[in-house]
Each structure stands twice: as structure tokens, then as C-alpha cells.
Amino acid sequence: MVHLALRLAGLLGLCATGGAFLAPRPSALQHVHKASTSHTSLHAAPAGKVHVLPTEEEVTSAVHQIVQSAAKEAIAARGSFALAIPGGSVLKVLSTLDPESDWAKKTTLAFVNHKCVDIADTSSAIEAQAREKFLDRWGLTNIISLGGTSDGEKEAAEYEAKLRAISESKLPRDADGFPIFDLALVGVGDDGHIGSLYPKRGEIDVTNGPWVVPAFQKDPPSISLTLPVMQRAKTTVISAAGKSPKYPNGKASAMRLAIADGEVTPKDFPASALRQHALWILDAPNGSEMDAGLSTVEQAVADA
């Protein structure tokens, strides 16, 4: 299978045959993360789980199945499901998901990132957009909301306090005290940003304790989960699907840099810091700059 070939390519530094992309160059492999007290990777380790599916619809189906499965598993284990979501295209994917049971009522929802704006503003607030597209329909009410001000420092501090106030039965912690979301859906921008961790900025370097940081790349600012939180989710999923006349291959270049480029660093392209931590699910156009064969929905879901 493609994802198995990718694992072997990443570990051996070889170009796998039968439909796998060219593994990172040796210079990148020399810096593969080793266990430490922080358990946080700040370099581009080899990708572990990558699936290229034929169509956008299949990517959406895979994400839907992963959300449903993760929710059922978490609720069966401890009665609660901890989910983190971003904005952007992920909201479109989730907008067509119809929960198969009442798991949404047992879900605690946080945001991977969010602008510091009025949370009822549907033009810019991820929460308002998510409520309108699917949260209200799902009946999901346990949402960790921002305060709605434009003060980035204040919003980040208060958001972290709200997350830390959640009981460990709903949001478990690891040995380092970081939260472990059952599922984190993370978006990647064309420039490689994840959440609101942008290239060549200090937020990506915050790995020594904080769960949330303010991000001042844009005005108004945003808040973002830190890299250690994204890396520690039980399952982290990055999906990329769809295209447009202006971008006929979608985010193909960004996906190649995030997954397969041997020279890029997380400081230059933050998404590369999630290579070994995320399950990557792309449609054919978005995977077109890598020498990858096609996978199936079933294989992608099984890898979650």
C-alpha cells in the first residue's frame, strides 16, 4: 500500500517503487526526532501516513468516517470526545457530515485557531461559521469560545485558562502536562502555516509549556494552539482536496513541501513539523507534485 511504501521510504531514505514519493534527502533524515522530555519535534521528520485518493468526494468521505469513528471510540472509553477544528476548507468538509448517533452531544469542541473578533461575526469568526454550517444542526453545544475582543494576548491567555479548566476525563493530559485531543483537524495554508503558526515567526518555537499563543501575523490577531498540542493529539488529520481555475492542482505545491521536501524546515514551512504526527489525506490534484500512487478511503480510515 502507498502509506506503507512511504514509511519505508522515510526510514530507509530510498525512493520506493510501486507508487511512493521520493523520500526526504539524507540531510533531513539526520535530524529525525528522538524522544526527549518535551516530546516535541521542531524539524521535518519523515512522513508516516500519506494517502492520495482519486477524488475530493473520497477525501470528504474519509474525513467523515474518521470523525465518527474517533468520537465513538473516545465516548466508549471515557464518555466524552475532545475535538479541535480550524476554519477554512475543513468547515466545508464538516458541513456535509451527518452524525450517525448522539456523539455530538458528548463532544467538547475547541478551535485550532481563531481570529480575535466578535464570535457572532459570520464574516470572520470560525465559531459563527461553524455554528451556521453544522454545529447547530449537530446539536453540539459544549464549545470552548473566545471572549470576542481584539486583544490577542488577553484572548490567548483566557482561552488557555478555559482549556486547562476542562477535566482530564474530557480532555486528557500527557506526562508533560499537554492536552491530548482525541482528534485534531488541522488546515495548511499555501505558505505552510498551520493554525495561526506562520513561517519565520516566533509562535512556531513555543514548545516549552503554553497550550495557546497569540499570533500577530494579521490584524486583527488570532489565537492558535501551539505545536506541541497539535503534535500530541491522538489523531491529527490534514486533508487537502478540491481545485479552482486559478489553482488547477489545489495546494499541490504546499503538500509537497509539507510532506516530501528534504530541505524545508518547520521555521520556513510550519506544516512540515507535523509530517510524522499527522495522517495526510489528499485528492489526486493536491497530491500531483509527489510521485505517489492512489490509495483508498478504507486504507486512509484504517490508518487513523
Coordinates of all heavy atoms in Angstrom, one line a residue, residues 212-277:
V212 N -1.6 27.7 24.2 CA -2.2 28.6 23.3 C -1.3 29.8 23.2 O -0.7 30.3 24.2 CB -3.6 29.1 23.7 CG1 -4.2 30.0 22.7 CG2 -4.5 27.8 23.9
V213 N -1.1 30.4 22.0 CA -0.3 31.6 21.8 C -1.2 32.6 21.0 O -2.0 32.2 20.1 CB 1.0 31.3 21.0 CG1 2.0 30.6 21.9 CG2 0.8 30.6 19.7
P214 N -0.9 33.9 21.2 CA -1.4 34.9 20.3 C -0.6 35.0 19.1 O 0.6 34.7 19.1 CB -1.3 36.2 21.1 CG -0.1 36.0 22.0 CD -0.1 34.5 22.3
A215 N -1.2 35.3 17.9 CA -0.5 35.4 16.7 C -0.8 36.7 16.0 O -2.0 37.0 15.8 CB -0.8 34.2 15.7
F216 N 0.3 37.5 15.7 CA 0.1 38.8 15.2 C 0.5 39.0 13.7 O 0.9 40.0 13.3 CB 0.8 39.8 16.1 CG 0.3 39.8 17.5 CD1 1.0 39.1 18.5 CD2 -0.8 40.5 17.9 CE1 0.5 39.1 19.8 CE2 -1.2 40.6 19.2 CZ -0.6 39.8 20.1
Q217 N 0.4 37.9 13.0 CA 0.7 37.9 11.5 C -0.2 38.9 10.8 O 0.1 39.6 9.9 CB 0.6 36.5 10.9 CG 0.7 36.4 9.4 CD 2.1 36.6 8.9 OE1 3.0 36.7 9.7 NE2 2.3 36.6 7.6
K218 N -1.5 38.9 11.3 CA -2.5 39.7 10.6 C -3.2 40.6 11.7 O -3.1 40.4 12.9 CB -3.5 38.9 9.9 CG -2.9 38.0 8.8 CD -4.0 37.1 8.1 CE -3.3 36.2 7.1 NZ -4.4 35.4 6.4
D219 N -4.0 41.6 11.2 CA -4.8 42.4 12.0 C -6.3 42.3 11.6 O -6.6 42.5 10.5 CB -4.3 43.9 11.9 CG -5.0 44.8 12.8 OD1 -5.5 44.3 13.9 OD2 -5.2 46.0 12.5
P220 N -7.1 41.8 12.5 CA -6.9 41.6 13.9 C -6.1 40.3 14.1 O -6.0 39.5 13.2 CB -8.3 41.4 14.5 CG -9.1 40.9 13.3 CD -8.6 41.6 12.1
P221 N -5.5 40.2 15.3 CA -4.7 39.0 15.6 C -5.5 37.7 15.8 O -6.8 37.8 15.7 CB -4.0 39.4 16.9 CG -4.9 40.3 17.6 CD -5.5 41.1 16.5
S222 N -4.9 36.6 16.0 CA -5.5 35.4 16.2 C -5.0 34.7 17.4 O -3.9 35.1 17.9 CB -5.3 34.4 15.0 OG -5.9 35.0 13.8
I223 N -5.6 33.6 17.8 CA -5.0 32.7 18.8 C -4.8 31.4 18.1 O -5.5 31.1 17.1 CB -5.9 32.6 20.1 CG1 -7.3 32.0 19.8 CG2 -6.0 33.9 20.8 CD1 -7.4 30.5 20.1
S224 N -3.9 30.6 18.6 CA -3.6 29.3 18.0 C -3.1 28.3 19.0 O -2.4 28.7 20.0 CB -2.5 29.5 16.9 OG -2.2 28.2 16.3
L225 N -3.5 27.1 18.9 CA -2.9 26.0 19.6 C -1.4 26.0 19.3 O -1.0 26.3 18.1 CB -3.5 24.7 19.3 CG -5.0 24.5 19.7 CD1 -5.5 23.1 19.3 CD2 -5.3 24.8 21.1
T226 N -0.6 25.6 20.2 CA 0.9 25.6 20.0 C 1.2 24.2 19.3 O 0.4 23.3 19.3 CB 1.7 25.7 21.3 OG1 1.2 24.6 22.2 CG2 1.5 27.0 21.9
L227 N 2.4 24.2 18.7 CA 2.8 23.0 18.0 C 2.8 21.7 18.9 O 2.3 20.7 18.4 CB 4.3 23.2 17.5 CG 4.9 22.0 16.7 CD1 4.0 21.7 15.5 CD2 6.3 22.3 16.3
P228 N 3.2 21.7 20.1 CA 3.1 20.5 20.9 C 1.7 20.0 21.1 O 1.5 18.8 21.1 CB 3.7 20.9 22.3 CG 4.6 22.1 22.0 CD 3.9 22.8 20.9
V229 N 0.7 20.9 21.1 CA -0.7 20.4 21.3 C -1.1 19.8 20.0 O -1.7 18.7 20.0 CB -1.6 21.6 21.6 CG1 -3.0 21.1 21.7 CG2 -1.2 22.2 22.9
M230 N -0.8 20.4 18.8 CA -1.1 19.7 17.5 C -0.5 18.4 17.4 O -1.0 17.4 16.9 CB -0.7 20.7 16.4 CG -1.5 22.0 16.3 SD -1.0 22.9 14.8 CE -1.4 24.6 15.3
Q231 N 0.8 18.3 17.8 CA 1.5 17.0 17.7 C 1.0 15.9 18.6 O 1.2 14.7 18.3 CB 3.0 17.3 17.9 CG 3.7 18.1 16.8 CD 5.2 18.3 17.1 OE1 5.7 18.1 18.2 NE2 6.0 18.6 16.0
R232 N 0.5 16.3 19.7 CA 0.1 15.3 20.7 C -1.3 14.7 20.6 O -1.7 13.8 21.3 CB 0.3 15.9 22.1 CG 1.7 15.9 22.6 CD 1.8 16.8 23.8 NE 3.1 16.7 24.4 CZ 4.2 17.2 24.0 NH1 4.3 17.9 22.8 NH2 5.4 17.0 24.6
A233 N -2.1 15.3 19.7 CA -3.5 14.7 19.5 C -3.4 13.2 19.2 O -2.5 12.8 18.6 CB -4.2 15.4 18.4
K234 N -4.4 12.5 19.7 CA -4.4 11.0 19.5 C -4.4 10.8 18.0 O -3.7 9.9 17.5 CB -5.6 10.4 20.1 CG -5.6 8.9 20.0 CD -6.8 8.3 20.8 CE -6.8 6.8 20.7 NZ -7.9 6.2 21.5
T235 N -5.1 11.6 17.2 CA -5.1 11.5 15.8 C -5.1 13.0 15.3 O -6.0 13.8 15.7 CB -6.3 10.8 15.2 OG1 -6.3 9.4 15.7 CG2 -6.3 10.7 13.7
T236 N -4.2 13.3 14.4 CA -4.2 14.6 13.8 C -4.4 14.4 12.3 O -3.6 13.6 11.7 CB -2.8 15.3 14.0 OG1 -2.6 15.6 15.4 CG2 -2.8 16.7 13.2
V237 N -5.3 15.0 11.7 CA -5.6 14.8 10.3 C -5.5 16.1 9.5 O -6.0 17.2 9.9 CB -7.1 14.3 10.1 CG1 -7.4 14.2 8.6 CG2 -7.2 12.9 10.7
I238 N -4.7 16.0 8.4 CA -4.6 17.2 7.5 C -5.1 16.7 6.1 O -4.6 15.7 5.6 CB -3.1 17.6 7.3 CG1 -2.7 18.2 8.7 CG2 -3.0 18.7 6.2 CD1 -1.2 18.6 8.7
S239 N -6.2 17.3 5.6 CA -6.7 17.0 4.3 C -6.6 18.1 3.4 O -6.7 19.3 3.8 CB -8.2 16.6 4.5 OG -9.0 17.6 5.0
A240 N -6.5 17.8 2.1 CA -6.4 18.8 1.1 C -7.1 18.3 -0.2 O -6.7 17.2 -0.7 CB -5.0 19.2 0.7
A241 N -8.1 19.0 -0.6 CA -8.9 18.5 -1.7 C -9.6 19.7 -2.4 O -9.8 20.7 -1.9 CB -10.0 17.5 -1.3
G242 N -9.8 19.5 -3.7 CA -10.5 20.5 -4.5 C -9.5 21.3 -5.3 O -8.3 21.3 -5.0
K243 N -10.0 22.0 -6.3 CA -9.2 22.8 -7.1 C -10.1 24.0 -7.7 O -11.3 24.0 -7.5 CB -8.6 22.0 -8.3 CG -9.7 21.3 -9.2 CD -9.0 20.4 -10.2 CE -10.1 19.7 -11.1 NZ -9.5 18.9 -12.1
S244 N -9.5 24.9 -8.4 CA -10.2 26.0 -9.0 C -9.5 26.4 -10.3 O -8.3 25.9 -10.6 CB -10.1 27.2 -8.0 OG -8.8 27.7 -7.9
P245 N -10.1 27.2 -11.1 CA -9.4 27.6 -12.4 C -8.1 28.3 -12.1 O -7.1 28.1 -12.9 CB -10.4 28.6 -13.0 CG -11.8 28.1 -12.5 CD -11.5 27.6 -11.1
K246 N -8.0 29.0 -11.0 CA -6.8 29.7 -10.7 C -5.7 28.7 -10.1 O -4.5 28.9 -10.4 CB -7.0 30.8 -9.6 CG -5.8 31.7 -9.3 CD -6.2 32.8 -8.3 CE -5.0 33.6 -8.0 NZ -5.3 34.8 -7.1
Y247 N -6.2 27.7 -9.4 CA -5.3 26.7 -8.8 C -5.8 25.3 -9.2 O -6.4 24.6 -8.5 CB -5.3 26.8 -7.3 CG -4.9 28.2 -6.7 CD1 -5.8 29.1 -6.3 CD2 -3.5 28.5 -6.7 CE1 -5.3 30.3 -5.8 CE2 -3.1 29.7 -6.3 CZ -4.0 30.6 -5.8 OH -3.6 31.8 -5.3
P248 N -5.4 24.9 -10.5 CA -5.9 23.7 -11.0 C -5.5 22.4 -10.3 O -6.1 21.4 -10.4 CB -5.4 23.7 -12.5 CG -4.2 24.6 -12.4 CD -4.6 25.7 -11.4
N249 N -4.4 22.6 -9.5 CA -3.9 21.5 -8.7 C -4.0 21.7 -7.2 O -3.4 21.1 -6.4 CB -2.4 21.1 -9.0 CG -2.3 20.5 -10.4 OD1 -3.1 19.8 -10.9 ND2 -1.2 20.9 -11.1
G250 N -4.9 22.7 -6.9 CA -5.2 23.0 -5.5 C -3.9 23.4 -4.7 O -3.2 24.3 -5.2
K251 N -3.6 22.7 -3.6 CA -2.5 23.1 -2.8 C -1.3 22.1 -3.0 O -0.6 21.7 -2.1 CB -2.9 23.1 -1.3 CG -3.8 24.2 -1.0 CD -4.1 24.2 0.5 CE -5.1 25.4 0.9 NZ -5.4 25.4 2.3
A252 N -1.2 21.6 -4.3 CA -0.2 20.6 -4.5 C 1.2 21.0 -4.1 O 2.0 20.2 -3.5 CB -0.2 20.2 -6.0
S253 N 1.6 22.2 -4.4 CA 2.9 22.6 -4.0 C 3.1 22.7 -2.5 O 4.2 22.2 -2.0 CB 3.2 24.0 -4.6 OG 3.3 24.0 -6.0
A254 N 2.1 23.2 -1.8 CA 2.2 23.2 -0.4 C 2.3 21.8 0.2 O 3.0 21.5 1.2 CB 1.0 24.0 0.2
M255 N 1.5 20.9 -0.3 CA 1.5 19.5 0.2 C 2.9 18.8 -0.1 O 3.4 18.1 0.8 CB 0.4 18.7 -0.5 CG -1.0 19.1 -0.1 SD -1.3 18.9 1.7 CE -1.2 20.6 2.3
R256 N 3.5 19.1 -1.2 CA 4.8 18.5 -1.5 C 5.8 19.1 -0.5 O 6.6 18.3 0.1 CB 5.2 18.9 -2.9 CG 6.7 18.4 -3.2 CD 7.1 18.8 -4.6 NE 6.9 20.2 -4.9 CZ 7.8 21.2 -4.5 NH1 8.8 20.8 -3.7 NH2 7.6 22.4 -4.7
L257 N 5.8 20.4 -0.3 CA 6.7 20.9 0.7 C 6.5 20.4 2.1 O 7.4 20.1 2.8 CB 6.6 22.5 0.7 CG 7.2 23.2 -0.6 CD1 6.7 24.6 -0.6 CD2 8.7 23.1 -0.6
A258 N 5.2 20.3 2.5 CA 4.9 19.8 3.8 C 5.3 18.4 4.1 O 5.8 18.0 5.1 CB 3.4 20.0 4.1
I259 N 5.1 17.5 3.0 CA 5.2 16.1 3.2 C 6.6 15.6 2.8 O 7.2 14.7 3.4 CB 4.1 15.4 2.4 CG1 2.7 15.7 3.0 CG2 4.3 13.9 2.4 CD1 1.6 15.3 2.2
A260 N 7.1 16.1 1.6 CA 8.2 15.3 1.0 C 9.5 16.1 0.7 O 10.5 15.5 0.4 CB 7.7 14.8 -0.4
D261 N 9.4 17.4 0.8 CA 10.7 18.2 0.5 C 11.7 17.9 1.6 O 11.5 18.1 2.8 CB 10.3 19.7 0.4 CG 11.5 20.5 -0.1 OD1 12.4 20.8 0.7 OD2 11.5 20.8 -1.3
G262 N 12.9 17.6 1.1 CA 14.0 17.3 2.0 C 14.8 18.4 2.6 O 15.6 18.3 3.5
E263 N 14.6 19.6 2.1 CA 15.3 20.8 2.5 C 14.5 21.7 3.4 O 15.1 22.5 4.2 CB 15.8 21.6 1.3 CG 16.7 20.8 0.3 CD 18.0 20.4 1.0 OE1 18.5 21.2 1.9 OE2 18.5 19.3 0.8
V264 N 13.2 21.7 3.3 CA 12.4 22.6 4.1 C 12.5 22.4 5.6 O 12.7 21.3 6.0 CB 10.9 22.6 3.6 CG1 10.3 21.3 4.1 CG2 10.2 23.8 4.0
T265 N 12.4 23.5 6.3 CA 12.4 23.3 7.8 C 11.1 23.9 8.3 O 10.4 24.6 7.7 CB 13.5 24.2 8.4 OG1 13.2 25.6 8.2 CG2 14.9 23.9 7.8
P266 N 10.7 23.4 9.6 CA 9.4 24.0 10.1 C 9.4 25.5 10.3 O 8.3 26.1 10.2 CB 9.4 23.2 11.5 CG 10.1 22.0 11.3 CD 11.2 22.3 10.3
K267 N 10.6 26.1 10.5 CA 10.6 27.5 10.6 C 10.2 28.2 9.3 O 9.5 29.2 9.2 CB 12.0 28.0 11.0 CG 12.1 29.5 11.4 CD 11.4 29.7 12.8 CE 11.7 31.1 13.3 NZ 11.1 31.3 14.6
D268 N 10.6 27.6 8.2 CA 10.3 28.1 6.8 C 8.9 27.6 6.4 O 8.2 28.3 5.7 CB 11.3 27.6 5.8 CG 12.7 28.1 6.0 OD1 12.8 29.2 6.5 OD2 13.6 27.3 5.8
F269 N 8.5 26.4 6.8 CA 7.2 25.8 6.4 C 6.7 25.0 7.6 O 6.9 23.8 7.7 CB 7.5 24.9 5.2 CG 6.3 24.9 4.2 CD1 6.1 25.9 3.3 CD2 5.4 23.8 4.2 CE1 5.0 25.9 2.5 CE2 4.4 23.7 3.4 CZ 4.1 24.8 2.5
P270 N 5.9 25.7 8.5 CA 5.5 25.0 9.7 C 4.8 23.7 9.5 O 5.0 22.8 10.4 CB 4.6 26.1 10.3 CG 5.1 27.4 9.8 CD 5.6 27.1 8.4
A271 N 4.1 23.5 8.5 CA 3.4 22.2 8.3 C 4.3 21.0 8.3 O 3.9 19.9 8.7 CB 2.5 22.2 7.0
S272 N 5.5 21.2 7.9 CA 6.5 20.1 7.9 C 6.7 19.5 9.3 O 7.2 18.4 9.4 CB 7.8 20.5 7.2 OG 8.5 21.5 8.0
A273 N 6.4 20.3 10.3 CA 6.6 19.8 11.7 C 5.6 18.8 12.1 O 5.7 18.1 13.1 CB 6.6 21.0 12.7
L274 N 4.6 18.6 11.2 CA 3.6 17.6 11.5 C 3.7 16.3 10.6 O 2.9 15.4 10.7 CB 2.2 18.2 11.3 CG 1.8 19.3 12.3 CD1 0.4 19.8 12.0 CD2 1.8 18.8 13.7
R275 N 4.8 16.2 9.9 CA 5.0 15.1 9.0 C 4.8 13.8 9.7 O 4.0 12.9 9.2 CB 6.4 15.1 8.4 CG 6.5 16.1 7.2 CD 7.9 16.0 6.6 NE 8.1 17.0 5.5 CZ 9.2 17.2 4.9 NH1 10.3 16.5 5.2 NH2 9.2 18.1 4.0
Q276 N 5.5 13.5 10.7 CA 5.4 12.2 11.4 C 4.2 12.1 12.3 O 4.0 11.0 12.8 CB 6.7 12.0 12.1 CG 6.9 12.8 13.4 CD 8.2 12.5 14.1 OE1 9.2 12.9 13.7 NE2 8.1 11.8 15.2
H277 N 3.5 13.2 12.6 CA 2.4 13.2 13.5 C 1.1 13.1 12.9 O 0.1 12.6 13.5 CB 2.5 14.4 14.4 CG 3.8 14.6 15.1 ND1 4.0 14.0 16.4 CD2 4.9 15.2 14.8 CE1 5.2 14.3 16.8 NE2 5.8 15.0 15.8

